[in-house]
């Protein structure tokens, strides 16, 4: 649709129906930024509980953080989440679920922006340029839609300092140059801290304690200090941590054999095929597990499950 005929069509339709407002109808055809629309907490909860396996901490914190933030009419700063964990444990997956619950088109929405360090900020010598571009990009997009979502993937591969360019936007300012960033959401994804999380999970396992007994307080403090002091975290000595601008450090636990099986089943279901337990077991057994002796955690999480399934 081009805008003028879309406008005429909508105008005519709303005159005919006399029921839906112009805005309602317009937003059925074109994507609208609806800042005031509260988040459907039960839909998000259901989504997380059904789709995300083995991540009781991430499920709990993400649900709490997003609903609390979106139901607050007057947040004092944007929401910043830092997701940490081993490869293939669901960080990108959860960001996608969060994005879809915030803006129906999810990652395809014009209000959700994904940055991948190695793709968008590859060269160390261009840090100043990236900082400048990032500031302009964020300012432009938040001016257009206050509830914009920005996802930064591969934070551990980001050159130190790049992210500090957006520090002012994440702080408690009411406005900067006429733009308020308080309704925006920033999500950082990184493998940094994965080793610390695994160590804690292993300690619990070796002590015969349940994985679900691991609490946020067992991990969050270790994580924030570990990430701050890790040169390859993208947040190394970053002002974001220093100034307490990260609202939640969210740990993703390493996935076990049973979770890998759940991922295989989910993928089969998504493909519309019947669940064949023999295939589920075969795919799960092809994955490699660590530590060497106990072999508890999948070293690629649920990554590669989809491509392996193609061979069965
Ligand atoms: N905890 C999980 N529950 C359900 N599915 C999962 C989970 N973790 C991973 N998956 C599946 O595996 C795929 C790859 O995971 P994802 O890209 O989210 O990993 P990641 O943690 O972002 O890894 P990386 O750090 O390597 O980017 C997902 O698209 C999803 O299908």
């Amino acid at each position: 649709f081009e805008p003028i005929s879309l406008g005429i069509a909508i105008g005519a339709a709303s005159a005919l129906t006399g029921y839906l407002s112009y805005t309602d109808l317009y937003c059925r055809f074109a994507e609208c930024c609806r800042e005031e629309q509260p988040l459907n907490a039960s839909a998000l909860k259901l989504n997380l509980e059904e789709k995300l396996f083995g991540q009781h901490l991430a499920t709990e914190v993400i649900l709490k953080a997003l609903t609390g933030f979106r139901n607050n009419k007057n947040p004092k700063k944007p929401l910043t989440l830092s997701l940490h964990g081993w490869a293939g444990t669901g960080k990108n997956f959860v960001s996608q679920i969060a994005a879809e619950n915030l803006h129906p088109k999810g990652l395809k929405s014009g209000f959700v922006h994904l940055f991948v360090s190695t793709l968008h900020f590859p060269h160390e010598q261009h840090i100043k340029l990236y900082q400048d571009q990032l500031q302009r990009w964020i300012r432009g997009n938040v001016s257009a839609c206050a509830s914009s979502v920005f996802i930064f993937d591969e934070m551990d591969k980001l050159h130190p300092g790049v992210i500090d360019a957006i520090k002012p936007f994440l702080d408690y300012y009411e406005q900067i140059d006429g733009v308020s960033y308080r309704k925006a959401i920033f999500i950082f994804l990184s493998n940094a801290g994965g080793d610390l999380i695994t160590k804690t999970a292993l300690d619990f396992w070796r002590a015969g304690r349940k994985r679900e007994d691991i609490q946020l307080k067992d991990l969050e403090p270790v994580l924030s200090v570990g990430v701050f002091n890790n040169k390859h975290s993208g947040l190394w000595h970053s002002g974001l941590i220093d100034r307490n601008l990260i609202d939640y450090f969210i740990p993703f636990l390493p996935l076990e054999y049973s979770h890998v099986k759940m991922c295989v089943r989910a993928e089969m279901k998504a493909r519309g095929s019947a669940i064949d337990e023999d295939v589920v077991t075969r795919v799960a057994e092809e994955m490699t597990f660590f530590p060497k002796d106990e072999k508890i955690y999948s070293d690629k999480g649920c990554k590669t499950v989809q491509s392996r399934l193609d061979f069965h």
Side-chain angles (χ1 to χ4, degrees):
F1 284 109
E2 46 97 8
I4 298 175
S5 42
L6 178 65
I8 295 172
I10 290 171
S14 57
L16 281 174
T17 58
Y19 170 62
L20 291 167
S21 74
Y22 178 85
T23 319
D24 281 340
L25 212 50
Y26 180 84
C27 295
R28 288 197 181 193
F29 291 92
E31 193 183 18
C32 291
C33 166
R34 295 197 155 175
E35 293 159 25
E36 303 307 331
Q37 195 144 305
L39 185 75
N40 183 343
S42 41
L44 175 62
K45 185 164 185 275
L46 198 67
N47 256 209
L48 290 171
E49 285 173 354
E50 279 183 352
K51 294 184 182 169
L52 184 68
F53 309 132
Q55 303 296 0
H56 67 284
L57 292 172
T59 300
E60 177 194 317
V61 183
I62 288 170
L63 188 61
K64 189 175 83 180
L66 289 183
T67 41
F69 181 73
R70 279 300 288 267
N71 293 336
N72 179 359
K73 290 236 172 325
N74 206 1
K76 294 283 175 285
K77 71 183 275 307
L79 179 67
T80 48
L81 309 175
S82 195
L83 279 46
H84 299 266
W86 212 259
T89 50
K91 299 179 298 296
N92 272 285
F93 187 54
V94 117
S95 313
Q96 188 188 323
I97 296 177
E100 282 164 4
N101 279 271
L102 293 162
H103 296 285
K105 289 192 173 173
L107 293 182
K108 293 200 192 95
S109 162
F111 310 127
V112 176
H113 311 277
L114 173 69
F115 299 98
V116 182
S117 302
T118 47
L119 181 69
H120 296 105
F121 317 111
H123 307 297
E124 191 161 8
Q125 66 272 30
H126 296 322
I127 289 180
K128 284 267 166 295
L129 176 72
Y130 298 149
Q131 289 183 325
D132 205 42
Q133 288 174 336
L134 202 53
Q135 285 190 345
R136 268 188 287 144
W137 178 258
I138 291 175
R139 187 182 306 123
N141 282 289
V142 175
S143 312
C145 177
S147 60
S148 292
V149 178
F150 301 94
I151 304 169
F152 292 82
D153 192 14
E154 299 186 342
M155 278 296 286
D156 37 325
K157 300 194 182 71
L158 191 65
H159 304 294
V162 173
I163 208 66
D164 281 322
I166 64 166
K167 194 173 85 174
F169 303 152
L170 305 186
D171 219 323
Y172 289 78
Y173 300 116
E174 196 163 342
Q175 285 198 343
I176 301 173
D177 297 331
V179 181
S180 167
Y181 295 85
R182 291 176 158 189
K183 292 201 167 156
I185 298 181
F186 293 81
I187 305 178
F188 305 112
L189 315 183
S190 127
N191 294 130
D195 48 347
L196 301 169
I197 299 169
T198 300
K199 188 183 171 307
T200 308
L202 253 181
D203 288 345
F204 267 69
W205 191 86
R206 287 179 176 150
R209 298 173 68 187
K210 280 206 315 234
R211 173 188 180 94
E212 288 72 24
D213 289 343
I214 305 175
Q215 292 179 22
L216 203 57
K217 67 173 167 41
D218 298 317
L219 283 167
E220 214 183 12
V222 198
L223 212 52
S224 64
V225 177
V227 168
F228 185 73
N229 290 322
N230 178 345
K231 267 201 166 168
H232 305 288
S233 71
L235 290 170
W236 179 63
H237 285 187
S238 159
L240 301 191
I241 298 186
D242 227 8
R243 296 263 302 132
N244 290 314
L245 296 178
I246 307 277
D247 298 306
Y248 297 93
F249 285 93
I250 307 180
F252 279 68
L253 302 174
L255 296 179
E256 299 177 6
Y257 180 76
S258 62
H259 304 121
V260 174
K261 280 181 136 186
M262 291 161 102
C263 288
V264 185
R265 289 191 200 104
E267 183 59 25
M268 286 177 150
K269 211 168 142 197
R271 292 181 186 191
S273 18
I275 311 287
D276 180 338
E277 284 300 328
D278 286 343
V279 176
V280 173
T281 309
R282 263 185 277 144
V283 173
E285 281 179 358
E286 271 178 21
M287 306 289 282
T288 40
F289 293 84
F290 70 97
K292 231 174 45 229
D293 299 327
E294 291 116 320
K295 297 201 182 339
I296 313 164
Y297 304 119
S298 162
D299 61 2
K300 293 188 198 68
C302 274
K303 250 184 179 170
T304 72
V305 158
Q306 297 171 350
S307 49
R308 276 163 205 268
L309 197 54
D310 297 336
F311 294 103
H312 289 276

